[in-house]
Amino acid sequence: MGDFFMCVAQYVIIMIVLAAIGFCGALIGVKLRKMKDAKTKE
């Protein structure tokens, strides 16, 4: 039973890491898009 919980915990940690990477990528994408829009507006 302990092995099962260790596997579940491992997948939860991987899911959290991937979600954090996706969130950071989204923030960077929004920032870059705003910079590009500001450049083209000038």
Side-chain angles (χ1 to χ4, degrees):
M1 196 64 155
D3 290 339
F4 173 74
F5 288 121
M6 289 301 290
C7 287
V8 171
Q10 182 181 359
Y11 282 115
V12 168
I13 291 170
I14 291 172
M15 183 179 64
I16 290 170
V17 169
L18 290 176
I21 291 171
F23 183 72
C24 289
L27 289 179
I28 291 170
V30 168
K31 182 179 177 181
L32 290 175
R33 185 65 191 184
K34 285 182 181 180
M35 287 173 52
K36 183 178 180 183
D37 287 346
K39 255 187 201 178
T40 56
K41 200 179 253 190
E42 289 178 357

